[in-house]
Amino acid sequence: MTTPAGQLSEPEDVALKQLYDDFDRAALMPLWTQREEMMSLVPSPGAVPACWRWATLFPLASRAGELVPVGRGGERRAIALANPGIPGRPFTTATLWAAIQFLGPHESAPAHRHSQTAFRFVVEGEGVWTNVDGDAVAMRRGDLLLTPSWHFHEHHNTTDKPMAWLDGLDIPLVHQLDAGFFELGPDTLTTAATPARSVSERLWGHPGLLPAAMPARPNSPLMAYRWIHTDAALSDQLACEAEGVPATVEPGHGAVRFTNPTTGGDVLRTIRTEMHRLRAGVTTTRVRTVGSSVWQVFEGSGTVYVADQSFEVATGDVVAVPSWQKLTIEATTGLDLFRFGDDPVYEALGLARTVRGEDGTR
Ligand code: GTQ
Ligand code: FE2
């Protein structure tokens, strides 16, 4: 965008310069110098396509485990995956925080709650349990554990081994919206034994069966989605397809969305979570969508293409996909991927838009 200044004679140029200075002093900014950036033709995110390797993340988190205590103040030994396109901020994308959290043997992270929404996804290990509003929820490989907004939570490692997992939160979104509230919980840690199944699973974890006369809840009341169920759902999708049932997503690509049993909608109000399974050799249809996502490889290897970048990924590796960037995933081996995104926010605001296939070039 050119300003009218270029077309003006010298005295007017001086007057115009004076006008801009006076705008500045009066705390004013004209649209005509801002339009291209503020109202771009298509989304033009600051965040860039980026990849973090589990082989880098885990050893660094482990070093933090030796050097940095976990406790009041810092609250969590969580290390954010900070997008290089958003310098100086612990933001993985414009709206999403992804972090590796590490708890050493017999360590605990104290109770707190916040307006930010959170979940944990476990790529390896077990032995930590997270206490969500008093309900002890075990964390094991492949499980998705929820901590909805304003639920108290604390984490305990009851074993002799360290454990690390992926946290996903809407910290950047809540920060941008000036909507953050935070409260410490009691300092006395829960010491109760960790049961195999949480109360939430016993009440809400039976497929197709809900406690009668329970009203719909905005966030899922089920705090744990177990790998055994996720795995079975994906295997069945691909097995059905092999028997001639039309593919639910696309050939060789099965996917499930984690849902709130009381609504059928997303588990969390601001974050969508999914697990995808690709057969070896499959390439997904190119897709571009408004809003951002973070993918983590759960098992297998492949290549993730985002905009003009490509990342060869294996178990535990994490990829950030900023808004409106073309995404294609190629499975070298059979490939299981966990995805979380800010889709529910865009859908609620009427800003969702997705293009699949070759149309998505622009
Ligand atoms: O586990 O409570 O990665 O509050 C960031 C903020 C984890 C947590 C994070 C948090 C937590
Ligand atoms: Fe927290």
Side-chain angles (χ1 to χ4, degrees):
M1 173 91 201
T2 52
T3 69
Q7 296 133 38
L8 296 172
S9 63
E10 189 125 334
E12 285 170 316
D13 213 10
V14 171
L16 193 58
K17 168 88 172 58
Q18 188 61 53
L19 176 65
Y20 285 133
D21 288 350
D22 290 345
F23 277 169
D24 202 41
R25 267 188 288 277
L28 297 170
M29 284 176 92
L31 175 65
W32 60 86
T33 63
Q34 298 300 311
R35 209 280 302 162
E36 268 192 24
E37 191 181 343
M38 291 299 125
M39 304 177 79
S40 51
L41 298 180
V42 298
S44 107
V48 295
C51 179
W52 295 261
R53 312 274 166 203
W54 192 249
T56 308
L57 296 174
F58 188 85
L60 286 169
S62 176
R63 277 166 63 193
E66 278 159 33
L67 296 171
V68 186
V70 57
R72 276 290 173 232
E75 297 293 302
R76 300 293 183 257
R77 195 187 289 110
I79 308 153
L81 281 52
N83 194 293
I86 313 175
R89 292 280 193 200
F91 297 171
T92 312
T93 70
T95 57
L96 300 171
W97 161 289
I100 181 169
Q101 183 166 164
F102 185 94
L103 268 188
H106 303 285
E107 276 189 325
S108 290
H112 69 208
R113 64 178 173 179
H114 35 73
S115 54
Q116 291 86 352
T117 288
F119 71 81
R120 340 265 153 214
F121 178 71
V122 183
V123 265
E124 61 179 30
E126 58 179 28
V128 170
W129 53 285
T130 179
N131 194 4
V132 183
D133 270 347
D135 192 15
V137 183
M139 295 172 62
R140 305 183 203 97
R141 181 177 171 276
D143 294 347
L144 172 72
L145 303 315
L146 305 184
T147 314
S149 175
W150 215 243
H151 286 50
F152 277 112
H153 51 287
E154 58 190 76
H155 314 309
H156 305 269
N157 184 347
T158 55
T159 73
D160 297 327
K161 289 195 178 138
M163 185 178 169
W165 61 89
L166 188 80
D167 289 323
L169 291 93
D170 56 6
I171 289 173
L173 173 73
V174 172
H175 181 80
Q176 194 54 43
L177 296 177
D178 291 328
F181 292 88
F182 186 98
E183 202 174 275
L184 298 178
D187 281 330
T188 46
L189 294 168
T190 311
T191 50
T194 159
R197 288 189 310 150
S198 59
V199 170
S200 85
E201 290 166 88
R202 292 159 67 200
L203 292 182
W204 302 98
H206 300 281
L209 299 167
L210 301 183
M214 287 285 192
R217 313 259 183 109
N219 292 299
S220 176
L222 179 61
M223 295 301 146
Y225 292 72
R226 300 296 178 193
W227 175 241
I228 187 172
H229 301 132
T230 310
D231 184 34
L234 291 168
S235 300
D236 275 345
Q237 269 190 28
L238 290 177
C240 287
E241 189 207 328
E243 290 161 20
V245 176
T248 57
V249 181
E250 58 187 336
H253 178 183
V256 289
R257 183 169 300 166
F258 298 94
T259 55
N260 174 346
T262 74
T263 62
D266 288 292
V267 284
L268 298 164
R269 295 181 93 164
T270 54
I271 302 177
R272 175 161 298 166
T273 52
E274 294 171 348
M275 183 71 78
H276 293 247
R277 176 166 292 172
L278 305 180
R279 286 191 200 282
V282 164
T283 300
T284 60
T285 301
R286 190 167 75 189
V287 58
R288 83 188 338 181
T289 195
V290 174
S292 54
S293 295
V294 176
W295 292 74
Q296 184 177 38
V297 176
F298 179 64
E299 177 99 71
S301 62
T303 309
V304 179
Y305 299 87
V306 188
D308 58 351
Q309 304 274 306
S310 68
F311 307 108
E312 285 192 20
V313 291
T315 302
D317 295 353
V318 179
V319 174
V321 183
S323 185
W324 207 239
Q325 305 306 300
K326 284 176 275 185
L327 170 71
T328 305
I329 303 172
E330 216 174 81
T332 307
T333 64
L335 187 59
D336 284 353
L337 302 126
F338 173 75
R339 177 185 92 89
F340 69 102
D342 50 18
D343 321 57
V345 176
Y346 291 77
E347 290 175 3
L349 299 178
L351 295 170
R353 206 191 267 233
T354 296
V355 180
R356 262 168 232 288
E358 291 310 308
D359 288 12
T361 24
R362 197 171 119 87

